[in-house]
Structure formats: C-alpha cells, structure tokens
Amino acid sequence: GAVLISLYFAHNIWLIYGLFALSGFSGFGTFGGQLLTIVPVANWFVAKRGRTTSIAATGMGTGTAISVPIALLLINTVGWRWAWVVFGLAIWAVILPGYGFLMRRRPEDLGLLPDGVAPQSSPVVGGPAAEPAAVQEEVNWTLSQAVRTPVLWFILLALTMYMFSTSGVLFLRVPYWNEMGVSARAIAFGVAADPFTVIFAMLFFGYLAERYPVRFMAVVGGVWRALSMVPLLIGSSHAGYVFLHNIIWGIGSGAFASAQNLMIPTYYGRTAQGAIRGISLPLMIAAGALGSPAVAYLVDAGVDVTLVWQLGMGLMLFAGLMFFFLKPP
C-alpha cells in the first residue's frame, strides 16, 4: 500500500523502478500473494480443499476484472497519480483489518477441526477429541523431508518450464495482434474474457480435484494452454480468433492454477506447506521474469513468431504431461 501511494510522487523512471523493486522485495506480489490466500485456506480445509482454494483464488481474476475499469475511470477523472493513491489506500483498508483481526493460521489454534467438522467427544473420558477421517489420513512432511523427495523437484521443474513459456506468450500476444491489424477494442474485450473464464474454470476444476487425482488437473491445464496456441498459429486477424485463444487459455489457466494450489498440501500435508511453497516461488518468479526477455530476444533476432508460438506450445504441453507421472511421494 505504501509503495502504491509513493508512486504519486514519482517524477523519473528510476524512482518508479526503485518502488517496484521495493514492492517485489516485500514478497507480496502475484506469487507471494498466493501464500496469503491459498496457504491459510489449505490449512482450514482437507476434504473440501479443492472447492475452497478455488473460491479463494478466484479473487485474483475478479480483482483484475473489476480494477481495470475502476483504474480507467480514476485516470480519466483525477489522473494516474491519484489512481495509485486510491489503490494504495484500498489495500490498507481491506488487507490490514482483514488479516489483522480475522485471519487465523489453523483451525487447531482455536480448538476446531478442518472442514468445519464439529469435534467429537473422545470415547476415553478426558481424552482428545476424535479427528475426521480426512485429517487422520493426511501425512504431514517437514521441509527437510520434502526436499529429499525427487517428485518435489520434478514438480518445480514442470512449474518452472510452464511459467517460462507462459510469460513469453503473455508478453508477445498483444503486440502480435496489433501487427496483425486486430482492432484495439477486439483485443481489449478478448483479453478481458480471460480472467472471467479462469474464474469459472477454477471453480469447476477445483471441485473435480476433490474426486480425481490433482495431477490430472495439471495435465488438463497444460493440454488446454497448448491448444490455445492454435488460434495464434493460424495467424488470422479475425477478432474471433482473439476470443478463441483467450477462452481456451482461460480454461487451461483455471485447471493448472487449481492443480498448482492443491499439489503441495495434497502431496505433503498442511504443516509445512508454506515453507515448501516458499522454496518453489523464487524459481517460478525467476522463470516468469526470464520468459519475456527471451522471447523479445528471439523476435529481435529475426526468429519467425510462428516458431515462438510453437516453442511455447511444446513447452506448455510437455510441462502439463509431466504431471501425469508425478504421483504423491
């Protein structure tokens, strides 16, 4: 919140870079924010973890869809500087009291059980309350134990590959449509369809994840993301292809995001999931940061954009299919 408000006073590009770097070092960006939203929900739910983490994660898509028109309205009325101030104050007004007064780490901290199950009285007088079957079956790994399992590193490899290819496509697709002659209005509405599709896809696949292995959701996400490259490979300037790409992309994103949110707590339990996620996020962030410059270098070097789409398609498909073989340790 303080960083956003400080952008009001930015009068040169280096100060802007510095403020964004400060924001990044805080760890509360897009990926770091998942630690604030997904980890607590995964702590509070076991049997219903799929649907509840999906509901929580839809906040990002909903926020994106709502904040863009609000930002446009603020910029056109009070200017971009005051728009930053408003968003910074909004963070303070929502996040600080929400987490400060309402958030609790785990239900056990309050004498409760996951999934809202009422504690049952122990058959032994004075003994501990009986836990639900889902909690009894859960295996909680420590961080040191988890890092010794090969499957964790293969998960990180697949996620890194996926993030690298994804960021490159996101970086290049809008300039590509502009050069193809697609109208700005069609591009705007097409891109806006993406977060709405993600919201419904996450809810759907989160519900399925309670009935089928989580890794299957990751496979579906990788396959659908790869299929979303087909409209780009066709190379048509028709607005319908923009919508088709974003809708297929959104379905794949929802499926993969559901799997990504559930993979660690499902495979390694609730106790150390924050620490395990903590070692994976820097790798994913680095891969995402390198994807765009890599794509930009290829394009500037004269590589045909069709080859870039094919590389992205192959990486996303390969990363998704890897999860089919990544069973719980």
Side-chain angles (χ1 to χ4, degrees), residues 36-200:
L36 300 177
T37 54
I38 302 303
V39 171
V41 178
N43 275 333
W44 277 79
F45 295 90
V46 178
K48 300 176 182 177
R49 183 178 288 155
R51 71 189 76 177
T52 52
T53 54
S54 296
I55 292 172
T58 57
M60 186 173 295
T62 304
T64 301
I66 293 175
S67 64
V68 171
I70 294 176
L72 183 62
L73 176 64
L74 290 171
I75 291 171
N76 290 335
T77 53
V78 298
W80 64 267
R81 295 183 184 275
W82 280 108
W84 284 119
V85 173
V86 170
F87 281 124
L89 293 175
I91 287 178
W92 283 352
V94 175
I95 293 182
L96 296 185
Y99 279 85
F101 297 112
L102 302 178
M103 181 61 67
R104 296 296 181 269
R105 186 184 59 161
R106 295 191 184 101
E108 288 85 351
D109 294 345
L110 302 178
L112 303 174
L113 295 176
D115 297 298
V117 176
Q120 301 174 0
S121 59
S122 172
V124 180
V125 177
E131 292 184 332
V135 178
Q136 292 175 354
E137 295 173 0
E138 187 177 40
V139 178
N140 288 297
W141 298 66
T142 65
L143 176 60
S144 61
Q145 292 171 335
V147 296
R148 294 190 184 99
T149 59
V151 67
L152 176 63
W153 298 104
F154 279 108
I155 290 173
L156 297 185
L157 175 63
L159 290 175
T160 301
M161 191 182 308
Y162 188 83
M163 289 304 306
F164 179 82
S165 57
T166 295
S167 64
V169 173
L170 289 174
F171 165 77
L172 189 59
R173 64 181 186 178
V174 172
Y176 171 74
W177 287 325
N178 284 325
E179 289 189 3
M180 290 292 295
V182 182
S183 68
R185 183 182 296 271
I187 295 174
F189 279 106
V191 173
D194 183 352
F196 283 106
T197 307
V198 171
I199 291 172
F200 293 105

Side-chain angles (χ1 to χ4, degrees), residues 245-258:
H245 163 79
N246 279 281
I247 291 173
I248 299 176
W249 178 278
I251 294 173
S253 299
F256 203 91
S258 297

Side-chain angles (χ1 to χ4, degrees), residues 184-276:
R185 183 182 296 271
I187 295 174
F189 279 106
V191 173
D194 183 352
F196 283 106
T197 307
V198 171
I199 291 172
F200 293 105
M202 287 190 67
L203 293 173
F204 176 71
F205 287 106
Y207 186 78
L208 288 182
E210 296 178 4
R211 288 157 176 77
Y212 303 98
V214 172
R215 68 182 193 277
F216 289 175
M217 305 304 112
V219 174
V220 172
V223 171
W224 275 85
R225 274 280 185 92
L227 289 175
S228 72
M229 295 293 99
V230 174
L232 294 176
L233 288 169
I234 292 174
S236 173
S237 60
H238 194 281
Y241 287 95
V242 176
F243 281 92
L244 185 61
H245 163 79
N246 279 281
I247 291 173
I248 299 176
W249 178 278
I251 294 173
S253 299
F256 203 91
S258 297
Q260 180 183 330
N261 292 332
L262 294 169
M263 188 74 68
I264 297 302
T266 300
Y267 280 25
Y268 295 99
R270 295 181 297 151
T271 304
Q273 58 160 327
I276 297 172

Side-chain angles (χ1 to χ4, degrees), residues 311-327:
L311 289 173
M313 183 179 187
L315 286 174
M316 286 184 282
L317 182 62
F318 183 76
L321 293 177
M322 276 185 65
F323 280 97
F324 181 81
F325 304 98
L326 301 182
K327 298 181 180 180

